[in-house]
Amino acid sequence: MHDIKTIREDAAQFDAGLARRGILPLSHELLALDEERRAALAQLQALQAARNALAKRIGEAKRAKADTVELEAEGGTLRSQMEALEAEAPRLDGLLREMLAAVPNLLDESVPDGTDETQNKLEKLWGPSREFAFQPKQHFELGEALGWMDFAAAARLAGSRFTVLRGPLARLERALGQFMLDIHTTEHGYDETMVPLLVNDAAMFGTGQLPKFAEDLFATTDGRWLIPTAEVALTNLVAGEILPAAQLPLRVTALTPCFRAEAGSAGRDVRGMLRQHQFTKVELVSITTPEASEAEHERMTRAAEAVLERLELPYRRMLLCAGDTGFSAVKTFDLEVWLPGQGTYREISSCSNTRGFQARRMNARYRPAEGKPDFVHTLNGSGVAVGRALIAVLENYQNEDGSITIPAALRPYMGGLARITAT
């Protein structure tokens, strides 16, 4: 969330930042509402001062045995005016907060201009893609032919965009998640964390999912939400806190199911596991100081890249353009893994720096060695999406007979199994 004081100080810069996202100027509307709110507060303070002065005069008149009828009538008028303003000021404050909550974060200067993913910037290309002596298949063709991936059973259970995995493919997905957790906790300094899969409105608001993206979420009948990513729960662990600077950075990770309605993706990736209502992901979250957040962003992205490199999966790092950067982020790197069955790169991790945007929504601060408490910077990233890693392993490690060679890094997690074959 934006600080209205910052908008007051440089409205032109605020509007220019929104223009990069294709949003029309908002500063005039926000500042007009802010001025109305401030005027109401100033008037309320003036009335409070007048009431206090009047109370003193009434007290003096009573001690002097003077008539206080007119003074008390004046006091009644003041009370009526104050009651109206005591309702109006919070209403205006709520409207301003509601408007600010709907405004996305401003972008870092290094983010390229552009309207969609076609204008993202290639930052890095890692690993040669495998040369196949046969036409590589897509993951759903491989999984169904093996007999360990069942979309029909999933559809009977829950409808479209769900998958049932069995036998060695179910174990392979579990192995991938454990492998990622082990790397991040033992090599990259993240603390493994178990978090609720259901959260309240405040948690969703804090990380920016509410109110804007409510249609992409699954809600329960008791007013809670299924997490679309463990970022929501992990980041909100510091909501409302003032952390000692010595505790930063905090680095936490979790392996959880994630749930997304995918309301805006009708007709996209309808076959296979690429776009599911339920999927598994290892999430990385860092809480740090403003001075350290840029370096932490690079560190987090490298942690996600290490997973792909250990699995020997070709990938590329993309710097997202203005039109493709998410609501809360100032800057995002996407890691896209090569899928030979599709003949293209697909996103498998997204690492974002939100700076103080989420922290302001959550009121998450730290206490520096000198000065007043300030908002922390929050970062989040996929380390990585387990289901998409499974897809990438199937497609990159497929053999002509339809079997799947298990990457060397995963074999200890698969009981030494080297190849997945048909049922």
Side-chain angles (χ1 to χ4, degrees), residues 96 121 184 270 274 295 299 325 356 382 386:
L96 180 61
K121 179 184 176 183
H184 295 313
V270 292
L274 269 166
R299 184 187 190 279
T325 301
S382 310
V386 176

Side-chain angles (χ1 to χ4, degrees), residues 114 158 224 269 299 408:
R224 288 179 284 194
D269 301 316
R299 184 187 190 279

Side-chain angles (χ1 to χ4, degrees), residues 117 139 149 161 163 165 172-173 176-177 180 260 262 265 268-282 307-308 311 313-314 334-340 342 344-350 382 384-396:
E117 61 185 18
H139 69 281
M149 185 179 290
R161 297 191 188 273
T163 308
L165 297 177
L172 180 59
E173 178 165 284
L176 281 162
M180 295 173 198
R260 295 183 186 174
E262 297 288 355
S265 64
R268 296 177 60 192
D269 301 316
V270 292
R271 295 198 65 185
M273 293 178 57
L274 269 166
R275 198 175 295 275
Q276 300 273 277
H277 289 312
Q278 176 185 318
F279 57 95
T280 306
K281 182 158 65 78
V282 172
V307 171
L308 302 178
L311 293 172
L313 295 172
D334 267 9
L335 303 183
E336 298 178 346
V337 69
W338 174 250
L339 298 183
Q342 288 196 11
T344 189
Y345 288 91
R346 297 301 297 261
E347 178 198 338
I348 194 168
S349 172
S350 190
S382 310
V384 295
V386 176
R388 292 198 174 194
L390 175 67
I391 290 170
V393 167
L394 293 180
E395 295 198 10
N396 282 277

Side-chain angles (χ1 to χ4, degrees), residues 125-131 312-315 338 345 396:
L125 193 62
W126 187 91
S129 57
R130 174 184 165 191
E131 295 292 333
E312 300 183 72
L313 295 172
Y315 71 88
W338 174 250
Y345 288 91
N396 282 277

Side-chain angles (χ1 to χ4, degrees), residues 50 72 74 122 146 164 178 207 216 268 288 298 334 357 365 375 380 409:
E72 289 175 352
E74 185 179 345
L122 176 64
L146 286 167
V164 169
Q178 299 306 314
T207 47
D216 290 320
R268 296 177 60 192
T288 189
E298 175 62 26
D334 267 9
F357 185 82
R365 295 174 291 168
F375 291 104
N380 63 82

